[in-house]
Structures are given as structure tokens and as C-alpha cells.
Amino acid sequence: MVTKEEVLEEYGLDQLDESRNVSLSEEELENDSKGQLIKKAGQLRDRRNELNQMASERASKRDDLNAKTREKVDEAQEHREMRDELNEQVQEHKESRNELNAEANELFDEVEEMKQDLELGSGKSIEELKEEIEDLEFKQQTEVLGTDEERELIEKIENKREKLAEKKGKVDQSDELEELIEEAEEVRSEASTHHQKVTELADEAQEHHNQMIEAYREADEIRDEADAMHELFVEAQESADQHHEDFVRVQKRLRELDKEEEEEKKEEREAKMEEEREEAEEIYQKFKEGETLDTEDLMKLQKTGLL
């Protein structure tokens, strides 16, 4: 089983350094100043982007590995199809070989029956008689023999020559037997050709089988790497998602603070306006009572619309 560490090393990828992650506590979210939260949001955004980039690289590597896995599986399937096709041819040649061997056996049985009918199968074969004659002639030529021994040897040679001539004569008289033997040998030869094809095709089928097994093994190894790479992707993506969630929380808190500031400013403006209105009413009352107003008082009256 391939480990994540092995995959990181093999593909030259950086380990996710958790010490660089940016944390956000509820206390910080509620109590930090707006400036501190703006800084925190920037840190979360930058780390999120780094982690998203890391996740993207790992997802790309994972997809490449999955594509290679599919290529290896396809390759294995091609070898499987070739193996099966060759095995079918092997079976066809086996059937042809067996049929031809059966036919050849029947023909050779007919040959033996014909030989028995011609008495060619009884006694010694033509080759055996030839060898015996050669041995006796060699003995006659190389050994010193007495008159009786030489006469006896000559008689043996003549006797075997007669048997050989008789056997040859019977064979020569049987053209049908020769034709039958030739036919049987041709059928046997054709069967041997099919047997040779069986051997060749079986070896080729075995080679495709071995390559299929190897392709499946490689596919399993690459799939293990892809699975480990997917775990690394999930690891980086989950961390990026957490940083994004925290970034969104900070942004929401900043909007709340902006709203609170706006409310405070609005209240201050309203309080100031109320204060100015009350002051203007006092000035206006003095004006109505006949007091002389200076320029500043007049301006305050104009600002509040009382003049």
C-alpha cells in the first residue's frame, strides 16, 4: 500500500505545514478590534489561497494518475482480448490436430491390415534383412573361415537375399499400399503442422496473459497512488475550506462592526442635531422677546430653519 508520504516524495509535492495555518477563536472574533480583524481576514484569505492552490495541484496529479490507471486497465483488456482470441485459435487447431491424428491412425491401421494380408508384417522387416545381409557379407570379407563355415555363411546370405527379394517383390506389387502409406504420412504431417501452431499460439497467448497480469498489477499500483493523492487533495481542500469559512465569519463580523459604527455615528448626528435645535429654539425665543442677536446666533437659526 502506497503511503501519502511516499507519494509526496515521488512527485515532489510539499507537505501540508499545519504550523502555517491561521486559527480563529470565538473570543478573537467577538473581542478583537476592527483593525485586528482586518489583518486576520487578510491572513485567512492568503492562507486559503495557498491551500486552494495546493489542493488544485494535488487534484491535477490525482486526475493524471486516474487517467494512467484507465490506460493500464485498457491495455490489460487489450491483452485479455488477444489472449482469448489466440486461445480460441489454439482450440481450433487442437480440434483439427486431433481429427487428423485420428484419421492418420485409421489409415495406419489400414496399412497394417494390408501388410498382414501381404504377409509383410510377418518375419523381419526389409531394413532388418538388409542389415543382417551386410553383417554376414562383412564377416565373409574380413574373417578367415573354413570351407564348411564359408559354405554355411554363403547359404545364410543367399537365404536372406531370397527372403529380402520376396519381401521387396510383395511390396513392389502393392502400389495401393504405398499410396495408403503416403496418404497416412501426409495426414500425420498435417496434424503435426496443426500441433506446431497449437504450441506457437499457446506460447503467444501465455505471453499476452503475462502482459495482462503485469498491466493489471501496474494499474493497481497507480490506483493506490491516485487514492493516496486524493487523500492529500482532501486534506488540503478541507483546510482551505476551513480558512474560507473563518474568512467569511470575519467578513461578516466586520460588516456588523461597520453597521454598529454607522449606528453610533447616526445617533451622534441625531443627538447633535437635537442639541442644535434646542439651542436654536432658545435663541429664537430671545429674538421674539426683542433681544438683539449676533451673527453667530442668526447663523444657528438659519441652519435649523427657524429663520
Side-chain angles (χ1 to χ4, degrees), residues 52-281:
N52 274 330
Q53 179 63 30
M54 181 182 290
S56 178
E57 291 174 358
R58 296 178 179 189
S60 178
K61 290 290 185 183
R62 177 203 60 196
D63 294 343
D64 289 344
L65 289 168
N66 280 330
K68 289 179 181 179
T69 299
R70 286 191 293 273
E71 288 176 4
K72 281 298 176 182
V73 170
D74 290 342
E75 180 183 334
Q77 285 296 110
E78 290 176 4
H79 285 299
R80 179 193 290 275
E81 291 172 5
M82 287 298 298
R83 179 203 64 183
D84 293 346
E85 182 179 335
L86 288 166
N87 280 334
E88 287 180 7
Q89 295 179 35
V90 166
Q91 190 59 37
E92 290 172 2
H93 283 287
K94 276 185 178 180
E95 291 173 0
S96 298
R97 178 199 63 189
N98 294 342
E99 290 173 1
L100 290 166
N101 274 330
E103 182 181 348
N105 289 338
E106 290 179 1
L107 290 170
F108 278 117
D109 288 342
E110 291 181 27
V111 167
E112 290 304 316
E113 289 177 6
M114 189 174 290
K115 282 183 178 180
Q116 288 176 5
D117 292 341
L118 294 171
E119 297 182 347
L120 293 176
S122 62
K124 295 180 180 179
S125 67
I126 291 176
E127 293 301 321
E128 288 175 332
L129 289 170
K130 284 182 178 180
E131 289 179 2
E132 289 180 356
I133 291 170
E134 288 175 358
D135 290 341
L136 291 172
E137 288 177 342
F138 182 78
K139 182 177 181 181
Q140 182 186 22
Q141 294 169 3
T142 58
E143 295 183 10
V144 179
L145 302 172
T147 303
D148 294 339
E149 289 177 332
E150 188 168 0
R151 186 183 300 109
E152 183 180 351
L153 184 60
I154 290 171
E155 288 178 357
K156 285 182 178 180
I157 292 172
E158 290 300 322
N159 183 43
K160 289 187 181 293
R161 281 177 178 169
E162 289 176 3
K163 289 181 179 180
L164 177 61
E166 181 183 355
K167 190 154 261 233
K168 281 184 176 181
K170 288 182 178 180
V171 170
D172 292 340
Q173 292 171 7
S174 181
D175 293 337
E176 184 182 351
L177 177 61
E178 290 296 328
E179 291 176 0
L180 190 60
I181 291 173
E182 184 178 351
E183 182 184 357
E185 288 176 345
E186 286 178 357
V187 173
R188 182 75 80 195
S189 176
E190 189 177 351
S192 297
T193 300
H194 281 286
H195 179 70
Q196 184 177 354
K197 289 297 294 182
V198 166
T199 302
E200 292 174 358
L201 292 169
D203 289 343
E204 191 176 349
Q206 184 62 44
E207 180 61 27
H208 279 288
H209 176 76
N210 294 341
Q211 291 179 7
M212 177 195 74
I213 296 300
E214 177 62 17
Y216 275 130
R217 185 192 64 77
E218 291 179 6
D220 288 339
E221 286 184 356
I222 298 172
R223 186 182 293 108
D224 286 345
E225 290 183 358
D227 291 343
M229 189 66 74
H230 179 69
E231 291 182 23
L232 291 168
F233 156 73
V234 170
E235 183 180 273
Q237 192 61 62
E238 287 181 348
S239 185
D241 290 345
Q242 183 59 56
H243 282 73
H244 179 70
E245 289 175 11
D246 288 343
F247 172 75
V248 170
R249 291 169 65 206
V250 172
Q251 290 293 93
K252 181 180 178 182
R253 178 57 179 159
L254 286 170
R255 286 195 296 272
E256 290 175 354
L257 291 175
D258 286 343
K259 188 175 180 180
E260 289 175 3
E261 286 182 0
E262 185 60 33
E263 289 292 333
E264 288 177 1
K265 289 179 180 179
K266 182 179 178 182
E267 290 175 0
E268 288 177 0
R269 288 196 300 272
E270 290 176 351
K272 185 176 181 181
M273 288 175 62
E274 180 63 24
E275 182 179 343
E276 289 175 349
R277 188 185 62 77
E278 290 177 356
E279 184 180 1
E281 287 181 351

Side-chain angles (χ1 to χ4, degrees), residues 276-284 300-301 304 306:
E276 289 175 349
R277 188 185 62 77
E278 290 177 356
E279 184 180 1
E281 287 181 351
E282 290 179 1
I283 295 172
Y284 185 66
K300 288 179 182 179
L301 291 175
T304 56
L306 295 177

Side-chain angles (χ1 to χ4, degrees), residues 20-31:
R20 298 186 61 225
N21 287 351
V22 180
S23 61
L24 176 69
S25 67
E26 287 297 327
E27 184 177 354
E28 289 175 314
L29 189 63
E30 292 298 324
N31 300 326

